[in-house]
Amino acid sequence: MRNLTSETENRAIAALALLPSFAILLVLVALPTFSVALYSLQDVQMGEAAHPFVGFENFLWAWNYAPFWNALNNTLVWVFGSVSLEMVIGVAVALMLNRNFVGRGIARAVVFAPYLIPTVVAVLVWRYMFHDVLGVVNYFLLKAGLIETPVNWLSSPRVAMTTVIIVGVWKFFPFVVLAILGVLQAIPQDQYEAAKIDGASEWQQFWRITLPHLMPIFLLTALLRSIWTFHKFDIIYLLTGGGPVGSTTTLPVLVYQKAFADFEIGRAAALALITAFVLTLLLLLYFYLSKQVEARQ
Amino acid sequence: MADLELRQISKQFDRQFAVKDVNLHVQDGELVVLLGPSGCGKSTLMRLIAGLESPTQGQVLIGGQDKTPLRPKDRNVALVFQSYALYPHLSIYENIAFPLRVRGVPSKTVDAKVMWAARLLDIERLLQRKPRHTSGGERQRTALARSLVRDPAVFLLDEPLSNLDAKMRHAAREELRSFQHQVKATWIHVTHDQTEAMGLGDRIVVMDKGRVRQIGTPGEIYRYPADTFVATFVGSPPMNLIAMDDHILGFRPESCLPTAYFENEIDLFKVAFRLQRAEYLGNETLLYAIADAPLPSTKMIARIPSTLRLDVAQGERYEFAVRRSDLRYFGTDELGAHIDRHLDAIRA
């Protein structure tokens, strides 16, 4: 009997200890999510008291709303462009930093700097550097003879997405370096020594040992970066505000514009839910993969 | 297969000698064990042979050819690592095939070689598994198979049994030995376990602090240790060492027996001692004692087989004997360090 009592007591204490976290999650996550879901089924205009239910009309509207498809397209370009470049550069830099050379400590610190600089500060500096007339980027490119006329980095609809991706990659490739470097350092040295004795060249050692070791974490990192890039808002909004002519408007930016520029909360909520749905799919894939990886270790 | 010769090999790391002035000639098909405590330079010496390190001085000759400047892959040596160093993402089959694959050997030849090695080591049923789904012993066989497929001139094994539990180790030792006979390999085996060295080696190289202390057959090493280090490192419990006026006297614990045992033999050396503790081990009894006058008071051990019925009591004085032919004499120049080590070994 005594054991039973203490078991009940333990459960009570555990529940009590979890209560604050539960309350915080409820107020900050569950309630807002629920209200967004509710809004998406209503016609909510900022400043109007009445919120009539309209069923799935907001979703139907999104389906027929050209800027939504444009934003979805932009988001895919933004995610794919950023993440693929981040992964390639991140892995290359990690491989470099994993070698022994003089000043490696300093090189590591420098590489990680972009990740630590606040986004607002970094973006303001980049905007200045990308300025078509005063910017240092055009200055050097002109000087080197790579371009003949200044590039409108931020004001040309054809170039702006590239510019945004460059800044995003610059900011976030250090994360990939960090993840990959961790794996590289965990690969047992004797595998390389065994391979050397068995006759493998440097190149074969990379393909047959390094790469297979990297693969699981490489995939997980790419997926994680995709999720984070998908809902990234600050870099794009601060650099271009979604322009010019909607050329860098991704889904999160569109949601923001609908809600806080057009004050159409109901429609914005519907767009947000669609975005969340795509993210959930990616997240499920991530959990599935990480379970696979865990099972293999 | 080929013979292996080390000429005056030294290796320095930051002014510290890891290996100093090692000369060794391993015959074609011979199994030589490098034995010594951790940090004695035996693993470094093996890495020098493999080409993973290059010597500060000296030459490595395989089959009479100087291989010192060559890279590991051009020396035709095989190394089995302590950790086995299997590739976790490859199946057992592909692990064994690895040395052939990187050399671009045609698949048909690879398959024939892998199957041959797998059959020899009895791991055919494991070929499709990943290393993580195999036992320690099976991984060791896989590592051996991988080293075998290339027909190496010399096999190098770095503590290959240390990852196996005690029960398996004995069986694995047998298997290694018969495997070595079967493939007639020139074989360098590194270990810190003196029982393993005694049981396995055609010859043993005892190393300490980067230097070779003695090279000899297990019998020579055990019966005629070259110095007090070898005397105490090989044998468990170690050889008793007693500091006399101008030399150190040594005798093995099992050669010190009750005088009655020797019956009418005359060439005996009397050993008197006071018994401190008797340890009954089933097949034998270890007597921990202090040597008594006329010998200087020194810790010693006598090892009595259980077939000799013996009644002893703690604190009593006994007089045992050792055949004079079983006595060993060492110089006193290294007395301090080795007597200390000897005593530590006794206490442990």
Side-chain angles (χ1 to χ4, degrees), chain B residues 13 40 59 90 102 124 161 191 199 213 238 247 281 315 322 336 340 348:
Chain B
F13 293 113
C40 74
Q59 286 173 301
L90 298 180
V102 296
E124 289 158 290
L161 302 179
T191 182
R213 308 300 293 239
H247 66 273
L281 296 175
V322 178
D340 282 349

Side-chain angles (χ1 to χ4, degrees), chain B residues 30-35 173 177 191 193-206 214-226 230-231 233-236 239 252 254 328:
Chain B
E30 190 182 20
L31 197 164
V32 166
V33 178
L34 302 182
L35 172 69
R173 204 157 77 203
R177 184 77 235 208
T191 182
D193 180 345
Q194 46 107 6
T195 325
E196 187 178 319
M198 297 287 286
L200 208 51
D202 292 322
R203 282 191 301 158
I204 298 174
V205 178
V206 186
Q214 189 174 3
I215 300 177
T217 64
E220 288 165 356
I221 299 274
Y222 190 77
R223 292 177 53 208
Y224 304 102
V230 180
F233 191 77
V234 177
S236 174
M239 183 176 266
R252 292 278 173 200
E254 65 271 21
R328 301 289 171 260

Side-chain angles (χ1 to χ4, degrees), chain A residues 190-191 193 197-198 204 208, chain B residues 47 83 86 89 102-103:
Chain A
D190 56 14
Q191 301 216 340
E193 294 187 337
I197 292 175
D198 286 342
Q204 284 172 324
R208 289 167 184 269
Chain B
R47 293 169 62 84
S83 63
L86 300 181
H89 52 279
V102 296
R103 284 178 158 78

Side-chain angles (χ1 to χ4, degrees), chain A residues 10-26:
Chain A
N10 279 343
R11 276 163 190 268
I13 290 172
L16 208 64
L18 285 174
L19 202 59
S21 326
F22 182 75
I24 289 172
L25 280 176
L26 186 75

Side-chain angles (χ1 to χ4, degrees), chain B residues 248-268:
Chain B
I248 298 171
L249 183 70
F251 56 88
R252 292 278 173 200
E254 65 271 21
S255 44
C256 182
L257 293 167
T259 316
Y261 169 81
F262 296 100
E263 294 178 353
N264 298 324
E265 287 184 46
I266 42 166
D267 218 8
L268 297 178

